[in-house]
Amino acid sequence: SLYHTCCSVLNRLSAVEGMMSYLEMDTTALNIVSSEPSTPTLTNGDPLSKLWAMARLGSPLCTIFNVLSPETPLHIDADPTHSTLNTCKKSIYHFLVGCRNQLAFTEEDVFTISDLYQDDTNGFVKVVNTISKLLLLLEERGIISAHSSHRNSDPNAPKDTRDKVILELIETERKYVQDMELLQNYMRELQSQNIVSSDCVHYLFGNLNSLVDFQRRFLFQLEEIVEKSPEEQRVGYLFTQMEDAFAVYEPYCANYFSAQYLVVQEAPKLQKLADILNPIYELPSILIKPIQRICKYPLLLGQLLKSTSKDWAYYQETEQALEAIRRVADKVNETQRQHENVQAVEELKRRVCDLEDLAIETYGHLLLQDKMIVSINESDRELHCFLFEKTLLMCKYIKESKNILTKGTTLSIKKKRRGSLQSKCTIYASRILGVHNKSTPGLWSLLVEYKEREVEQFSLRFRNEEQLKKWEATFLKIKVTHKANVPNTHLLNTAHSPIGSGGNQQQWDDLPQLPISSRTPYHNLHIVRPTTSTPRLGESHAQQHSPIDRTMPSSPGSVKVKLSYHDGIYVIVVPQEASFLELMERVERKIRLVANLKPKEMLRLKYQDEDGDHITINSDEDVQMAFESRGIHNTVNLFVS
């Protein structure tokens, strides 16, 4: 890890002539030129901060370079702590030039001045690598003794359960950082070789650089903590201090699902770097690791708390850390869920076949969505439910028609299949009166009561208790938010079967269909036929008392069409071979007369197919499909909105 690398470098530097004076400087003196990394630390003068600040002085780097006896030694300031920032950068510049020209270092072997001075471990890793390469040259030339590591003979082997938890925490953290660095190198190769566009790299990896920088700092301090005796290990304090910094996970995790789709889409191009990470199985497994890691921390801290004696001085810090990391995980999950919901709404707009009848933009943010069994009047049906801030939308999956396609019906059926969802019911969230948990052993369900003309209800059946609790909590939150007045009308009919008809035992597809637009609230689920209507031309005074004209005969080769519009039913007769334009002309002439519509108001026609679905009529083929649904009385029912 970076911690042990820095410790090793500092240890080896102590053997370099002229370096001891820099190593013995305290952190305050070393940081006159520039500040330490911003990540909270538990102690002053940790190895990373010490090495970083010392390198920024410039003179220590020149000292190491001169020990190699180059042809042109570098100038060294007598007291670098009194040097200005520009003087230090000048020394670093000459050091980098000397490494390239006199030591034949490549561009990959050296860092840049910005790598050293920016507050980012991604750049500092390059600095450490350059210094390590210089030390290796000193060892090869026999100027200093070769370094040997004794980490394998660990005197602090785990002695109890707590030690094992600490060991698991630190070892999995090291492996995790290594994986993230591998992913980072993969990203850099994609960029340097221009395998995919810069936008594609951005959407694939998000804020990976910031995430790796944070995780290195976190691991560094964790390494420093676990080297202390168990009772002095303030692991909990580290997590609580880092709680706000863990926010770096939120954008990465929110972007993950977009990234995994992009990996599949760009797999042919990504195969060019399959020797680093195979895009089929290795790349997806590493991309998901940050999500897995943030979910793992609460489990590890829970085990640590359980195995720590309550008498220890820092026990409460571990308790606070567990609460803090749970808050972090909740925030990450919430951010990820919100991002997924935004995508789900866009997917809903693409899949729903009657989008023009919905006003999704007015529903508020999507809170939850899932497939579940919805029960009304002992009739069960699987629907896809979308719970928005202001609306509950229920959609059904459209079944493919089993009818044999003919030349005249192909276009109409293709239109029906354009989307895979069809809205069945829309309920205002403000009309929800109560949500009751009706679960029994092995069966998880909620009974939802809402206000129509009377109080109605339906049940939602869930897969497990966790799903139920999530929906129950969200429903209750909505109920509190919309605790204002509840008018009688709350259902938005989308020209489909609404649920909750008071006392009506009809099945889902047999519920009454109201000929109104999806944005018009109605007061009753039953069609109410008034005793009077607007007078129409060609009707007697007696006929004006009923909106249903039952006396109009249909001539041979013609079809009797009943038009359901608002609270009335009107009749016209059209030829069996009527075109779409001809039908619309007659419908408009009839409806505009009785409804006093303005010229700019457009009418829409729908018919009910054999599945009970309402299909919009937009073409001659649609008209013929609608006419095929007429019964033995040669009558077609159309719905006007």
Side-chain angles (χ1 to χ4, degrees):
S1 67
L2 184 59
Y3 173 82
H4 289 104
T5 301
C6 289
C7 290
S8 173
V9 168
L10 290 173
N11 184 45
R12 294 157 73 189
L13 285 176
S14 63
V16 177
E17 183 181 355
M19 287 299 297
M20 191 56 68
S21 59
Y22 299 114
L23 294 171
E24 292 177 349
M25 288 183 180
D26 59 28
T27 306
T28 304
L30 288 172
N31 281 283
I32 291 177
V33 175
S34 57
S35 62
E36 290 186 63
S38 60
T39 304
T41 56
L42 300 179
T43 59
N44 292 323
D46 60 87
L48 183 144
S49 300
K50 188 177 186 68
L51 182 59
W52 204 333
M54 189 169 63
R56 284 172 171 174
L57 291 177
S59 292
L61 298 177
C62 295
T63 300
I64 303 171
F65 180 86
N66 288 344
V67 172
L68 288 167
S69 301
E71 293 182 5
T72 307
L74 301 177
H75 172 72
I76 299 176
D77 292 332
D79 189 358
T81 59
H82 291 165
S83 301
T84 64
L85 178 60
N86 287 336
T87 302
C88 293
K89 288 186 176 181
K90 182 178 179 180
S91 297
I92 295 168
Y93 170 77
H94 289 302
F95 165 77
L96 295 173
V97 172
C99 287
R100 293 193 191 97
N101 296 340
Q102 300 188 59
L103 301 180
F105 280 18
T106 65
E107 291 294 330
E108 290 74 20
D109 294 331
V110 296
F111 58 90
T112 65
I113 294 178
S114 60
D115 287 334
L116 179 55
Y117 280 92
Q118 66 184 0
D119 188 19
D120 189 337
T121 59
N122 293 310
F124 183 65
V125 167
K126 299 178 183 179
V127 177
V128 176
N129 290 338
T130 301
I131 298 175
S132 297
K133 188 173 180 64
L134 285 172
L135 291 172
L136 183 60
L137 285 176
L138 291 172
E139 292 172 354
E140 291 174 350
R141 297 182 184 184
I143 299 175
I144 62 174
S145 59
H147 172 72
S148 61
S149 174
H150 300 285
R151 285 188 59 203
N152 291 332
S153 56
D154 186 4
N156 297 320
K159 302 178 180 63
D160 54 25
T161 302
R162 187 185 184 281
D163 287 349
K164 292 179 181 178
V165 175
I166 290 292
L167 182 62
E168 180 184 0
L169 174 62
I170 192 65
E171 288 187 344
T172 55
E173 191 69 22
R174 290 169 185 161
K175 180 63 170 63
Y176 171 53
V177 172
Q178 289 176 2
D179 289 338
M180 290 299 97
E181 289 176 337
L182 174 62
L183 185 62
Q184 189 180 46
N185 292 333
Y186 179 82
M187 177 186 69
R188 289 169 178 166
E189 283 298 317
L190 287 178
Q191 292 173 317
S192 63
Q193 298 185 31
N194 292 321
I195 293 176
V196 293
S197 66
S198 57
D199 286 341
C200 181
V201 171
H202 172 72
Y203 287 115
L204 271 175
F205 304 102
N207 64 329
L208 178 63
N209 285 332
S210 299
L211 180 63
V212 174
D213 175 50
F214 163 78
Q215 212 61 48
R216 282 201 195 100
R217 297 174 189 266
F218 181 82
L219 173 59
F220 193 96
Q221 295 178 66
L222 187 61
E223 295 271 17
E224 193 173 24
I225 291 171
V226 300
E227 289 195 351
K228 299 179 180 180
S229 63
E231 292 190 26
E232 295 178 346
Q233 293 172 350
R234 301 181 65 184
V235 176
Y237 181 75
L238 174 62
F239 276 92
T240 54
Q241 287 294 97
M242 291 286 203
E243 180 176 357
D244 292 338
F246 269 108
V248 72
Y249 274 84
E250 294 179 21
Y252 181 91
C253 294
N255 183 66
Y256 167 71
F257 287 96
S258 298
Q260 68 174 350
Y261 288 127
L262 197 56
V263 168
V264 176
Q265 180 180 332
E266 300 292 338
K269 295 180 181 179
L270 298 177
Q271 281 288 354
K272 296 178 181 179
L273 290 182
D275 57 320
I276 302 177
L277 286 175
N278 188 296
I280 304 301
Y281 56 91
E282 290 179 321
L283 181 56
S285 66
I286 289 188
L287 282 172
I288 199 176
K289 283 186 180 293
I291 298 176
Q292 295 172 333
R293 191 61 183 172
I294 204 68
C295 295
K296 182 71 172 177
Y297 285 134
L299 300 177
L300 290 171
L301 283 179
Q303 294 174 6
L304 182 63
L305 182 66
K306 187 177 180 180
S307 59
T308 301
S309 173
K310 294 183 179 180
D311 298 331
W312 285 17
Y314 302 125
Y315 179 83
Q316 288 187 345
E317 287 184 356
T318 308
E319 285 184 316
Q320 295 169 358
L322 181 57
E323 295 175 0
I325 200 62
R326 282 174 176 169
R327 289 193 295 268
V328 168
D330 289 342
K331 288 180 181 178
V332 171
N333 288 335
E334 177 63 18
T335 302
Q336 185 176 358
R337 186 189 62 79
Q338 290 176 359
H339 183 77
E340 292 172 9
N341 285 346
V342 170
Q343 292 182 318
V345 172
E346 295 303 315
E347 182 70 11
L348 171 64
K349 292 178 180 179
R350 287 192 295 268
R351 294 180 62 192
V352 71
C353 62
D354 50 350
L355 181 62
E356 68 276 5
D357 291 332
L358 302 176
I360 294 179
E361 292 76 11
T362 66
Y363 294 172
H365 294 295
L366 179 63
L367 303 177
L368 293 172
Q369 56 96 13
D370 212 334
K371 289 188 293 185
M372 61 188 69
I373 301 298
V374 182
S375 300
I376 174 69
N377 295 330
E378 299 182 355
S379 176
D380 296 346
R381 187 162 192 174
E382 184 181 54
L383 297 177
H384 199 135
C385 299
F386 299 85
L387 182 57
F388 294 84
E389 290 176 317
K390 302 177 182 179
T391 309
L392 173 63
L393 172 65
M394 299 184 188
C395 297
K396 80 163 189 175
Y397 292 89
I398 297 178
K399 299 178 182 178
E400 292 188 2
S401 176
K402 297 181 181 179
N403 292 345
I404 299 176
L405 299 182
T406 64
K407 184 176 181 181
T409 63
T410 302
L411 180 60
S412 177
I413 293 180
K414 282 184 178 179
K415 286 183 178 180
K416 179 181 174 182
R417 293 180 184 172
R418 187 177 301 166
S420 58
L421 291 175
Q422 186 176 44
S423 56
K424 297 302 296 180
C425 176
T426 312
I427 301 177
Y428 284 129
S430 58
R431 309 308 191 258
I432 296 175
L433 302 179
V435 180
H436 310 283
N437 191 332
K438 296 295 183 179
S439 300
T440 57
L443 182 64
W444 301 275
S445 65
L446 287 178
L447 179 67
V448 181
E449 295 178 320
Y450 60 95
K451 180 70 174 178
E452 190 226 329
R453 190 177 186 88
E454 303 293 339
V455 175
E456 305 292 347
Q457 62 186 26
F458 62 90
S459 295
L460 300 176
R461 194 184 308 164
F462 302 93
R463 294 187 301 273
N464 50 51
E465 185 178 8
E466 180 183 0
Q467 186 191 26
L468 178 142
K469 288 183 176 180
K470 185 184 298 184
W471 279 76
E472 181 180 20
T474 307
F475 267 122
L476 294 176
K477 184 177 180 181
I478 288 176
K479 183 174 175 292
V480 172
T481 304
H482 298 280
K483 203 173 181 180
N485 60 324
V486 181
N488 286 338
T489 59
H490 73 293
L491 287 181
L492 292 178
N493 179 31
T494 56
H496 312 294
S497 304
I499 63 174
S501 176
N504 193 345
Q505 300 297 319
Q506 292 170 296
Q507 298 298 308
W508 284 89
D509 288 330
D510 296 329
L511 289 173
Q513 310 295 327
L514 295 191
I516 59 178
S517 88
S518 62
R519 296 173 180 80
T520 307
Y522 59 87
H523 297 267
N524 199 334
L525 289 176
H526 302 285
I527 299 177
V528 180
R529 298 175 179 174
T531 56
T532 61
S533 64
T534 306
R536 290 170 284 171
L537 294 177
E539 291 184 353
S540 65
H541 178 74
Q543 290 173 331
Q544 295 173 11
H545 290 284
S546 174
I548 305 178
D549 187 351
R550 303 185 183 276
T551 62
M552 184 178 294
S554 58
S555 58
S558 63
V559 178
K560 183 178 180 180
V561 180
K562 288 185 178 181
L563 303 174
S564 297
Y565 180 73
H566 281 194
D567 53 1
I569 298 179
Y570 310 96
V571 177
I572 61 174
V573 176
V574 298
Q576 287 184 0
E577 301 299 327
S579 66
F580 171 67
L581 294 178
E582 183 179 359
L583 176 62
M584 285 302 301
E585 181 181 357
R586 297 199 181 195
V587 170
E588 289 190 0
R589 189 162 58 236
K590 171 70 75 172
I591 299 301
R592 289 187 186 280
L593 180 65
V594 300
N596 294 323
L597 297 179
K598 297 179 181 179
K600 292 184 179 180
E601 293 186 72
M602 302 298 294
L603 295 177
R604 183 182 295 115
L605 285 181
K606 293 188 178 184
Y607 72 94
Q608 189 174 25
D609 67 2
E610 67 278 1
D611 294 327
D613 299 323
H614 283 68
I615 309 301
T616 302
I617 300 176
N618 284 324
S619 66
D620 295 345
E621 289 83 1
D622 292 339
V623 174
Q624 294 307 311
M625 286 287 291
F627 284 2
E628 288 179 10
S629 66
R630 65 185 184 275
I632 59 176
H633 299 294
N634 198 36
T635 302
V636 177
N637 294 310
L638 299 183
F639 304 94
V640 185
S641 60

